[in-house]
Amino acid sequence: MSAVKNVIKDNYNMMLLKDYLREQIKEAGFSHAEISKTPTGTRVSLHVTRPGIVIGRKGVGIRELTEKLASDFELKNPQISVVEIDKPELSPSVMCNRMAAHLERGTAFRRATMWTLQQIMNNGAMGVQITISGKLRGDRSAFEKHTAGILPRAGHHADVIVAEDIAHVKTAMGLIGIRIRIARKEKFVPEFELKTSKAKKHQVKDELTGKMRDETAAEKKARTESEQIAMEEEKIKEMELLDEEEEKLK
């Protein structure tokens, strides 16, 4: 067999293996697998959110999985290690699976999308983009794309910073595809400066000392109901409504 055919066969087997692991250890929060060949066999590192489910009681689960990989996927002497993921919300594979589970349970696709987006950003992501496509509301296929934060789109820096994954889920309306791209701050390229918005400061009089001091916008409190309404009005104007985003996509 030529070298090209060997590469194609190995890639195809890795694709089948990933699909099998995604379904077999779904309850353990499977993210991805790192496979490397060693002189003594094949080393397989499984990255999951709950290692105990993979290992099983007295190691029964991991022994059965080892036998399965050796017999069905022809891995020579597989040596499985389980690695726990620190922040599951920053793993595209885990979040794709969670969002797919929400859709399978009947959650509205837009509610599931916004919830996933919020969870990823609240756990320290630099940026996220969620694309959902398929028969979302009717017989005709459509897609929606939601983005938050800073997400490089192309180039070397996008390859370094951004991780992505794709999942498919069967619903009553048909097949729906989910694509999640997450940019992580800890992989930020040093030669670029990540600028954060600074809170605006203004001078106020300290009631205790009588001296003027700086007060941030976050610390400012409305003294009257009129000021509270005015502050909220500015925030409401800055809100991006989903209906307006939907009109832009049409």
Side-chain angles (χ1 to χ4, degrees):
M1 185 178 293
S2 64
V4 176
K5 290 184 178 180
N6 282 331
V7 172
I8 295 174
K9 182 180 178 181
D10 291 341
N11 291 338
Y12 180 70
N13 289 335
M14 290 303 103
M15 182 189 68
L16 295 179
L17 177 58
K18 182 180 178 181
D19 292 341
Y20 170 77
L21 293 173
R22 184 192 291 268
E23 183 63 29
Q24 184 68 20
I25 55 178
K26 178 172 59 177
E27 295 298 327
F30 172 72
S31 173
H32 64 281
E34 296 178 352
I35 301 175
S36 58
K37 295 182 179 180
T38 64
T40 58
T42 306
R43 183 177 300 166
V44 182
S45 298
L46 303 179
H47 294 257
V48 298
T49 60
R50 296 173 177 84
I53 297 179
V54 180
I55 298 172
R57 193 171 185 178
K58 296 182 180 180
V60 174
I62 201 167
R63 282 198 297 269
E64 293 178 354
L65 186 59
T66 302
E67 295 173 359
K68 188 73 174 179
L69 297 184
S71 60
D72 293 2
F73 297 95
E74 300 179 355
L75 297 183
K76 297 181 179 179
N77 189 22
Q79 303 166 3
I80 300 178
S81 62
V82 185
V83 181
E84 184 176 3
I85 303 173
D86 295 332
K87 291 187 177 181
E89 290 80 9
L90 298 182
S91 171
S93 302
V94 174
M95 299 311 292
C96 276
N97 294 337
R98 289 182 180 179
M99 185 172 169
H102 286 304
L103 296 178
E104 286 179 347
R105 291 173 174 268
T107 304
F109 73 92
R110 191 169 289 168
R111 285 182 177 271
T113 302
M114 299 311 298
W115 170 256
T116 305
L117 192 78
Q118 183 180 9
Q119 292 296 307
I120 294 173
M121 292 303 297
N122 289 346
N123 281 273
M126 187 172 71
V128 57
Q129 181 183 82
I130 300 179
T131 305
I132 181 170
S133 59
K135 294 184 178 179
L136 304 178
R137 287 186 296 267
D139 294 336
R140 298 186 63 179
S141 296
F143 81 96
E144 287 192 5
K145 185 180 294 184
H146 300 271
T147 306
I150 302 173
L151 188 80
R153 303 299 178 89
H156 171 71
H157 306 295
D159 296 335
V160 175
I161 299 172
V162 180
E164 68 174 80
D165 196 26
I166 298 174
H168 300 88
V169 54
K170 292 182 180 179
T171 64
M173 298 295 295
L175 192 66
I176 293 179
I178 303 168
R179 181 189 183 191
I180 298 180
R181 306 180 73 226
I182 300 176
R184 304 189 61 168
K185 293 180 181 178
E186 57 268 24
K187 295 186 178 181
F188 193 74
V189 183
E191 55 262 29
F192 283 83
E193 181 183 358
L194 181 61
K195 295 183 179 180
T196 56
S197 59
K198 296 182 179 179
K200 296 181 180 179
K201 296 183 179 180
H202 60 280
Q203 295 287 327
V204 294
K205 187 176 181 180
D206 197 318
E207 296 179 356
L208 297 177
T209 62
K211 298 180 180 179
M212 301 300 291
R213 65 179 179 86
D214 290 335
E215 183 183 38
T216 63
E219 294 173 344
K220 185 179 179 181
K221 295 182 180 179
R223 292 174 294 180
T224 63
E225 283 297 318
S226 298
E227 289 184 7
Q228 181 69 29
I229 297 299
M231 291 169 60
E232 292 180 356
E233 187 177 0
E234 294 299 322
K235 295 179 180 180
I236 292 173
K237 289 180 180 179
E238 296 175 358
M239 270 180 47
E240 296 181 1
L241 300 179
L242 292 178
D243 293 337
E244 296 176 357
E245 293 296 322
E246 184 179 355
E247 291 298 327
K248 293 179 183 179
L249 293 174
K250 290 183 179 180

